Amino acid sequence: MKTVLVVEDNHDDRALLRVNLEHHGCRVLEARDGLEGLEVASRELPDLVVSDALMPRLDGFQLLQRMKRDPRLCSIPFLFYSAVYTGDNEEQLALSLGAEAFVTKPCDPEQFWEILKRSLETIRENGDRPCPATLPQQEQFLERYSTIVAAKLEEKVRELEGAKSELEDKSRRLDNLFRSIRDVIVVGDQERRIQEVNQPALRTVFGYELDEIRGQSAELLYAEHQDFEAVGKLLQAERPEESGVCRQVRCRRKDGESFAAELCIFELRDEHGKSRGNIGIFRDTSESCRMEEKLARAEADWEESFDAITDIVSIMDRDLRILRINRAGARTLGRTPEELVGHRCHEVFRGIGQPCGGCPVRTVIGSGKSAGGEIYHQNLGKSFQVNISPLLDEKGEVRGIAQFARDISEQKQLAAQLAQAQKMEAIGTLAGGVAHDFNNLLTAILGYLDLADLQLEPDHPVRDELRQVQSAAQRAGRLIRQLLLFSRKQPMEFIRLDLNREVDEMGKMLRRMIGEDIALNLELSPDCWPVFGDPGNIGQVIMNLSVNARDAMPEGGILTLRTENVELDEHYCQLNREARPGRFVRLTINDTGSGMAEEIRQHIFEPFFTTKERGKGTGLGLAVVYGVVKEHKGWINLYSEPGLGTSFKIYLPVGTSTGEIAAAPAASVRGPRGNGETILVVEDEPAILQVTTETLGRHGYQARAASSAEEALAVLGGEGKIPDLVLSDIVLPGASGIELFKKARGQRPALPFLLMSGYANEKVHWPWIQTRKIPFLEKPFTTAQLLKMVQVALAWKGDEGDAEPS
């Protein structure tokens, strides 16, 4: 490492040389003039000296001459670096005194280093060089040196004259500038007495003429004494020089009006650096203060409004970086506004590193027009309706965007629930209507099959075919019953139930049905509240869900049936459209099977929808479950994911003592044949009317026919024999079977009745039918079922008041 001594009176030039030399691995010594450089060179013996030419006390030429005459220093290479002595005479003198090179300022750092490096390489190649044998004599040196200095002096005189002229010009310009400045500039002495003030600013701001205040204390410009004192202490404590100090003060005009001002103070020094006063600059800020207050109020109002918006509002630049976001947005994302500022929108709203495909923000920035759309936030599991508007600069170009995002997750959930409920209701209505007509057809088919069977010999070859038709018709009847259960049109008998007992009873059968590779767990709450329901249909729900669970676990698993009491509040019900506050018993049927994807969950309760192979299922099992639960005033929540199993949670309202209906007691049944009793059959469907009357006639009854309630009332009011029993359909043209019952019983209170129907649209009357224990025959029916219920009805007398309206 070579040691280089830098002799330079300019601090900045010295620092630049140091950086350059140290960058190239040199050790650098510094001196501020030739005299100090001679001292450092004598002490440190550097490998190279880099010196300016013009310096105080001892310049570069004198330093070089002394070093070359000193036996200890004469061999040290010397390099001139000057911005003043730059002529050929100066360079020749320097080289004649023994300098290695003469470099003119300024010089490119790398070029300078190349010159210096060559000097260092010369040292390395030649080793220590002897002192020069010949040097200019003192007289010669002085003569040449004087010539050079004289020339420079003449040059300097010319420069000074030019500088004086320029200074006078600057002085005039500064005086004009001083007087044109609108702020008030006060020049004061050390006692803070006013010496000079610019006009017309003094007159405009304070209302004074300079002669009125010159020599007076600057305190007269202050409205409050404490401000004047505080500024004085500030001057003493901080001694402001170039940067000055500023503070807000209250000032007073000549007319006594006070106003707000900003005061900046600078210390005034003479050529020796001694303080001789200060300069104060007063700026009237009363108007700006009023504007700032208005702006502050407007900013505060804007901030309050911005944060009061419940939707997410964010402002972004063209690079999609968030500049501002309101509290609702930060709260939704679980962060603070400060944590979100600076992040790109796709990082925050989607959790991804790249802009989204088809990003509406990009569209707005490119088109300058508003746009919107719906996005789904994967991490939050929420949907947002996003509207984006461009922010334009003064040229009409897009400088950023404002994004508004509204959480629509709950609305989408409610809309989906409503659509599903409406769809299921529509399907249920359709199913009920179809069931009515279909049951009438099946009733006729089954009746005529039984009549045909009566006419055949026991070994007739057609009998087997007829039985196949009868079996198919009965299966069709069961299918229709499932449709009615789904559509909630099937009459049910509600009683007070212990759900634990029902689940436990079903569990005994389920253990045999689900197979040995599936474990059945019953987790029954010991204090389970009673529910109000139909035992058979509740069992159907448990059976259907358990069968589905078994099919979802072909390789085995765990089936869990759980009961528990729950109390639901308003908050829970807001998130589930079908729920309502109150006390419920929750029946959970959970499996560890294959689970369901979202697209399957959306259709799982629809009739005829199935994921099973063709011929393996009707698609009515879960539809029946849905209908039964709805009929019980409950609802179902479904939780399922592929590979994570399925959980059905059924909510059933707690039963009360009021309105409970006990099961109808079984009536005694006489023989299947009649003894000549007269039965009036009231049915508007001709095929059913014919087959029913013919069937009754062939089994020992006298059957009469009527196709409407009016015809039946005419028969009952006629002079002929009064029928022993009225068998009436409920759905009739004109007056219904219920109205016929009421009118007929009003005339003849003891008249037995048997009501029948294949479509329980009359379910509003079902409680009335049950409470009076009126015999009821459900379509489609077989001959055996018809004869059995006729026997029951003939034995039924009813209660008083049967004819009264429900």
Side-chain angles (χ1 to χ4, degrees), residues 170-187 196-206 262 264 266 279-284:
K170 285 183 178 179
S171 177
R172 286 191 298 272
R173 290 200 303 270
L174 286 173
D175 185 63
N176 290 335
L177 178 63
F178 177 71
R179 298 186 184 282
S180 65
I181 294 175
R182 301 178 66 179
D183 294 337
V184 179
I185 303 174
V186 179
V187 181
E196 188 68 41
V197 187
N198 61 322
Q199 284 286 26
L202 174 64
R203 184 184 308 113
T204 303
V205 176
F206 284 96
E262 180 185 61
C264 293
F266 301 85
I279 299 175
I281 303 177
F282 291 88
R283 172 169 292 179
D284 185 352

Side-chain angles (χ1 to χ4, degrees), residues 437-631:
D437 294 338
F438 203 61
N439 274 334
N440 280 340
L441 295 175
L442 288 175
T443 300
I445 292 171
L446 288 171
Y448 280 115
L449 285 172
D450 286 338
L451 289 176
D453 186 69
L454 290 175
Q455 301 178 45
L456 297 176
E457 297 296 331
D459 56 350
H460 197 285
V462 178
R463 185 181 293 274
D464 289 337
E465 283 80 356
L466 291 178
R467 286 176 180 172
Q468 291 294 328
V469 175
Q470 186 180 48
S471 176
Q474 290 172 344
R475 288 199 303 272
R478 288 193 292 271
L479 181 63
I480 292 300
R481 180 175 177 81
Q482 286 187 312
L483 276 174
L484 289 172
L485 282 172
F486 155 73
S487 62
R488 310 196 304 277
K489 306 299 184 182
Q490 183 69 25
M492 297 186 187
E493 295 189 34
F494 290 93
I495 62 174
R496 193 179 179 88
L497 287 180
D498 178 356
L499 193 57
N500 280 352
R501 183 170 61 82
E502 299 297 323
V503 173
D504 187 59
E505 287 296 324
M506 289 299 299
K508 297 175 183 177
M509 180 174 61
L510 291 176
R511 293 184 195 278
R512 297 190 297 270
M513 182 192 70
I514 61 177
E516 296 180 355
D517 55 346
I518 297 177
L520 177 63
N521 292 338
L522 301 183
E523 300 176 3
L524 308 180
S525 173
D527 56 349
C528 191
W529 295 325
V531 297
F532 193 54
D534 182 298
N537 285 301
I538 292 294
Q540 184 77 32
V541 167
I542 298 172
M543 175 65 71
N544 287 1
L545 291 178
S546 298
V547 168
N548 267 33
R550 178 200 64 187
D551 295 342
M553 298 183 288
E555 298 180 0
I558 301 174
L559 173 62
T560 302
L561 276 63
R562 182 185 304 111
T563 61
E564 53 192 323
N565 300 327
V566 294
E567 291 194 49
L568 305 181
D569 56 17
E570 291 287 353
H571 177 70
Y572 175 86
C573 297
Q574 290 174 357
L575 303 178
N576 192 311
R577 183 178 177 275
E578 296 182 283
R580 60 187 183 277
R583 299 197 306 162
F584 298 84
V585 176
R586 181 166 61 202
L587 169 61
T588 301
I589 299 179
N590 183 81
D591 67 63
T592 59
S594 55
M596 288 179 273
E598 175 64 24
E599 56 271 18
I600 294 177
R601 292 201 302 271
Q602 292 178 355
H603 304 283
I604 197 67
F605 291 116
E606 295 177 6
F608 310 116
F609 176 82
T610 179
T611 59
K612 296 178 182 179
E613 297 178 9
R614 188 176 181 87
K616 295 293 182 67
T618 63
L620 283 174
L622 291 179
V624 167
V625 169
Y626 180 88
V628 169
V629 173
K630 283 294 183 182
E631 191 74 3

